[in-house]
Amino acid sequence: MLEQLLIFTRGGLILWTCKELGNALRGSPIDTLIRSCLLEERSGAASYNYDVPGVSYTLKWTFHNELGLVFIAVYQKILHLLYVDDLLAMVKREFSEIYDPKRMSYDDFDETFRQLRKEAEARAEEMKKSKQVVSKKVINSGKKQVQMQKSGFEGGNKKKESTNGNGKDGKDGDNVKNVTENGHANGEVVESRGISRVNGKENGDSNTNGGAFDVNKLQKLRSKGGKKVNNNNGVVVNKVSKEEPKKKPAKKNRVWDDSSPKEEETKLDFTDPVSGNGDSFMAVPQVIEGESMMDKDEVVSSDSESDEDDEVETDKKVDSKKKGWFSSMFQSIAGKANLEKADLEPALKALKDRLMTKNVAEEIAEKLCESVAISLVGKKLASFTRVSSTVQAAMEEALVRILTPRRSIDILRDVHVAKEQRKPYVVVFVGVNGVGKSTNLAKVAYWLQQHDINVMMAACDTFRSGAVEQLRTHARRLQIPIFEKGYEKDPAIVAKEAIQEATRNGSEVVLVDTAGRMQDNEPLMRALSKLIYVNSPDLVLFVGEALVGNDAVDQLSKFNQKLADLSPSPTPRLIDGILLTKFDTIDDKVGAALSMVYISGAPVMFVGCGQSYTDLKKLNVKSIVKTLLK
């Protein structure tokens, strides 16, 4: 049964709801659809499923882009109503005829909707019956074919039995005779037990025919590897000369005993020249590398006008080839009546290819183009504008909307709020192996130090060898306290004790380093889910490389899925933000930022762009969008 049907404008003004249905929806499915699907450029999907405890809804929608209207139908997920798409199309057609921007109430549409609903349900029933009739015919025809095949197979078996009962037991001589009688004796070779027949003559070991040869002699000569030899039959056998393998230069063995020369000892000595006793807690001056790039405003040069001029010129050249001068000029002045999907496809295909060359995942690029197409179909093309420029403007607007954070990402303000509540602000860094979690954790710690915030590190990577020592080195250079318990410990317990220690000593922020893990490694993902559940951090940061393309979708979606599935909480914590590393190595291949934000809905909060502690900056949305569409 249909639960609700709603018509509203893109500005959010509700024009009409079905009073006849009058069902109170549990939860907020329409608000969730608008927030997580329509505003996130996911409108290219066929439907949206909304699940809350006790009920599940399926939502379908359509747009009237010229009038700026949205039509949404809600029904129970378990029902699988077949007439919803047709009903939405008919409601869209009928309502657009009576729509007036100055009008606020449409009570007279109730009777029209009642008739449209009955018509859509009747069509669905007819289609269902016709499908059942067709399926029965297909099943009956399939049964007949199987019976015919069985009868033909049984007849073939009877024929075989009758032929095998004629007293012929299939001996060699009879086989040769049968083959020759079936037309193989006319110039073809038939071999049986060392006898070859050529043109009906037998050739035995004497090999009287010059065209035949003895296979046994040829195999013997090959095995011996002799030189070129002409045998009695005129066959030339080449000798395969085995090349002697070149001897590789022998590797010189390193001398590890006390008699090794002093030059090698100096090469192998990696101890600190300041202190040769290897004390890991030796005094190191605090590293001060200047102001972090997080506090600097990035200046973006705008040369998009020249790019747009170039695109307009290329469009003019292409259009001048296809159309005449007068028709193209008239259409550019008057504008096109309504945009259709066929008009948008060339521009969208070029835009999709451009996004993929910028390292955007193919799936994400395709969904974005579908969403832009849906938002433009039916719109009237303005005068002196072209389809390609209209599509690019719509895509630019969509990209800015996706990359702009939906909530505040001001960590400094959140830290001060946590300080007023007398508890430390906890940040957990998660991600796959080798993306730079520990290094960028140190960069974040350095940035927080610049704002006079007391920071403590928690070494919760108890899995990888050397992880604790690596974090200890950063802590020593930055003069930051570190909480560690060594290896093979439960990281959830280590993080809990670190937070308790930070509360005692007055640390304002705890940065928790975790082990790198692949998204398919269930034991490590279970341990990470436990760490987040036990400690309830204020921020869960996913650290990802800017180098990844299609794998970004797999990493983030599976991380979120595992954190949700393996958490014992009914409302599990997922990824809150993204830290994008190695951003200085990708040139204009910035598509990973778009792929990660699109698939997770989490904003990019930090961007790592170098090797020093100051190389951490914010994501410039305008710069990313400009690079993607360049």
Side-chain angles (χ1 to χ4, degrees), residues 300-370:
V300 182
S301 60
S302 60
D303 53 350
S304 58
E305 294 180 0
S306 60
D307 297 338
E308 290 178 359
D309 293 340
D310 294 340
E311 289 178 3
V312 170
E313 289 178 3
T314 54
D315 289 341
K316 285 181 179 179
K317 291 178 182 178
V318 174
D319 289 345
S320 62
K321 292 179 181 178
K322 294 181 178 179
K323 302 175 181 179
W325 173 78
F326 181 77
S327 61
S328 61
M329 183 188 70
F330 179 77
Q331 184 171 341
S332 63
I333 294 173
K336 191 178 175 68
N338 285 315
L339 285 173
E340 298 176 358
K341 195 167 184 180
D343 303 326
L344 302 172
E345 283 180 356
L348 288 173
K349 186 179 183 304
L351 202 55
K352 178 187 172 184
D353 295 340
R354 190 185 307 173
L355 289 174
M356 289 175 63
T357 57
K358 303 295 183 180
N359 217 18
V360 178
E362 182 181 3
E363 178 186 352
I364 306 300
E366 189 171 349
K367 287 182 179 179
L368 277 172
C369 290
E370 288 177 2

Side-chain angles (χ1 to χ4, degrees), residues 331-545:
Q331 184 171 341
S332 63
I333 294 173
K336 191 178 175 68
N338 285 315
L339 285 173
E340 298 176 358
K341 195 167 184 180
D343 303 326
L344 302 172
E345 283 180 356
L348 288 173
K349 186 179 183 304
L351 202 55
K352 178 187 172 184
D353 295 340
R354 190 185 307 173
L355 289 174
M356 289 175 63
T357 57
K358 303 295 183 180
N359 217 18
V360 178
E362 182 181 3
E363 178 186 352
I364 306 300
E366 189 171 349
K367 287 182 179 179
L368 277 172
C369 290
E370 288 177 2
S371 181
V372 169
I374 290 174
S375 66
L376 290 177
V377 169
K379 272 191 175 181
K380 187 174 181 180
L381 190 65
S383 302
F384 298 103
T385 55
R386 299 188 178 276
V387 175
S388 60
S389 58
T390 304
V391 171
Q392 180 144 343
M395 179 63 77
E396 183 176 354
E397 183 182 347
L399 294 179
V400 171
R401 188 162 55 246
I402 291 169
L403 292 173
T404 303
R406 299 195 303 270
R407 58 178 180 80
S408 174
I409 56 172
D410 189 356
I411 293 181
L412 298 178
R413 188 200 64 178
D414 296 340
V415 169
H416 290 300
V417 171
K419 184 179 179 181
E420 292 176 357
Q421 298 174 357
R422 295 185 179 181
K423 65 175 186 178
Y425 187 82
V426 182
V427 184
V428 175
F429 293 76
V430 303
V432 300
N433 307 80
V435 294
K437 288 184 296 298
S438 303
T439 304
N440 285 275
L441 182 147
K443 292 179 186 180
V444 174
Y446 181 80
W447 171 64
L448 292 172
Q449 270 189 328
Q450 300 295 306
H451 293 273
D452 298 327
I453 294 175
N454 296 325
V455 185
M456 187 178 80
M457 296 182 181
C460 295
D461 184 357
T462 62
F463 184 77
R464 175 174 65 91
S465 300
V468 177
E469 288 78 9
Q470 179 185 3
L471 204 65
R472 189 189 299 158
T473 302
H474 287 302
R476 196 167 63 236
R477 295 192 68 198
L478 297 174
Q479 298 292 313
I480 291 176
I482 180 173
F483 186 88
E484 56 174 285
K485 285 289 185 178
Y487 296 98
E488 296 183 359
K489 302 293 191 300
D490 188 352
I493 304 301
V494 176
K496 185 176 181 180
E497 293 178 359
I499 295 171
Q500 294 172 354
E501 178 67 22
T503 306
R504 284 193 295 268
N505 62 22
S507 296
E508 298 170 0
V509 177
V510 179
L511 303 179
V512 180
D513 185 31
T514 62
R517 65 205 76 210
M518 297 306 294
Q519 58 269 24
D520 298 320
N521 192 329
E522 186 168 335
L524 288 178
M525 289 302 299
R526 191 178 296 277
L528 179 63
S529 179
K530 178 185 176 183
L531 185 148
I532 294 173
Y533 172 71
V534 169
N535 298 285
S536 299
D538 299 279
L539 185 65
V540 179
L541 274 181
F542 179 84
V543 185
E545 285 183 329

Side-chain angles (χ1 to χ4, degrees), residues 213-242:
F213 56 89
D214 190 356
V215 180
N216 296 326
K217 287 186 178 182
L218 181 60
Q219 290 177 350
K220 288 179 181 179
L221 289 171
R222 280 182 180 175
S223 61
K224 289 179 181 179
K227 296 181 180 179
K228 287 185 179 181
V229 179
N230 291 332
N231 62 0
N232 297 332
N233 301 321
V235 178
V236 179
V237 182
N238 292 326
K239 175 185 177 182
V240 181
S241 59
K242 294 183 180 179

